[in-house]
Amino acid sequence: TEDFHQYVRRKREADCFGNNIEIQAMSELYNRSIEVYQYGTAPINIFQSVYHAQNAPIRISYHFGSHYNSITDPANPSVGVGLGLAGLEPGLADRSLLKGVCAASEQEAVEEAMFRDQMLASDWEATANDLEQQVKQASYLEYLKERAGSAQAEAARRKR
């Protein structure tokens, strides 16, 4: 058998993973049952906590004889339950994050709408300015034609 200190040293290594002993320790430490699933809907193993609290069980899946994954229910988050954290509300972080993302998205949509409105206003102003310039130019050309016409009429009158 392995000496306790040697076991702890080995478990501190980066590539050393937990097994049944660590799962049972987590169950007792966090006062939550741990259900292990493998390719099915019924657990293949259940680790019981020392005190039978009403906390939701931690669920993990076991793959290929060597790997565990966490199973969570997004509709009923229970991450952190049993840690003894005062005021812990599972799912609060997700709700806060979602609320922040929605607010940022709404703000972005408002800014984009304002930008589009400004672009439309700018296009309208540019069109109005172009029309005004064309009217001024046409008016000036008409003025020049009238002036040229009156000058020709005056010259013709002088010749008579």
Side-chain angles (χ1 to χ4, degrees):
T1 64
E2 188 175 24
D3 170 69
F4 176 76
H5 295 291
Q6 183 180 2
Y7 170 82
V8 171
R9 257 192 311 279
R10 181 173 57 83
K11 286 297 177 176
R12 288 182 175 163
E13 296 293 320
D15 292 337
C16 186
F17 302 103
N19 54 27
N20 288 359
I21 294 171
E22 287 78 18
I23 294 172
Q24 182 61 46
M26 286 190 330
S27 175
E28 293 174 16
L29 181 66
Y30 298 124
N31 195 29
R32 292 178 66 186
S33 297
I34 298 179
E35 298 174 352
V36 181
Y37 295 84
Q38 183 180 27
Y39 311 117
T41 57
I44 61 167
N45 200 350
I46 299 175
F47 296 85
Q48 300 293 335
S49 60
V50 176
Y51 308 102
H52 297 284
Q54 297 301 320
N55 298 331
I58 295 172
R59 293 181 174 98
I60 56 179
S61 59
Y62 186 55
H63 302 276
F64 308 114
S66 65
H67 181 76
Y68 292 94
N69 282 329
S70 171
I71 302 172
T72 59
D73 179 359
N76 186 20
S78 64
V79 175
V81 171
L83 295 178
L85 302 172
L88 173 69
E89 186 181 331
L92 178 63
D94 290 336
R95 288 191 303 275
S96 296
L97 180 62
L98 183 61
K99 190 175 185 180
V101 167
C102 287
S105 178
E106 288 172 7
Q107 180 65 29
E108 186 178 321
V110 166
E111 288 174 2
E112 188 176 319
M114 288 172 61
F115 177 74
R116 279 194 311 269
D117 288 347
Q118 185 61 39
M119 291 303 294
L120 288 173
S122 296
D123 286 346
W124 182 84
E125 288 171 352
T127 301
N129 285 340
D130 285 347
L131 287 172
E132 188 177 320
Q133 288 298 324
Q134 289 175 6
V135 167
K136 285 180 183 178
Q137 188 176 18
S139 176
Y140 182 66
L141 289 174
E142 189 177 318
Y143 165 76
L144 290 178
K145 283 181 187 177
E146 286 178 9
R147 192 168 166 193
S150 354
Q152 284 178 350
E154 182 67 31
R157 200 173 16 147
R158 283 190 194 163
K159 280 189 180 183
R160 294 195 232 159

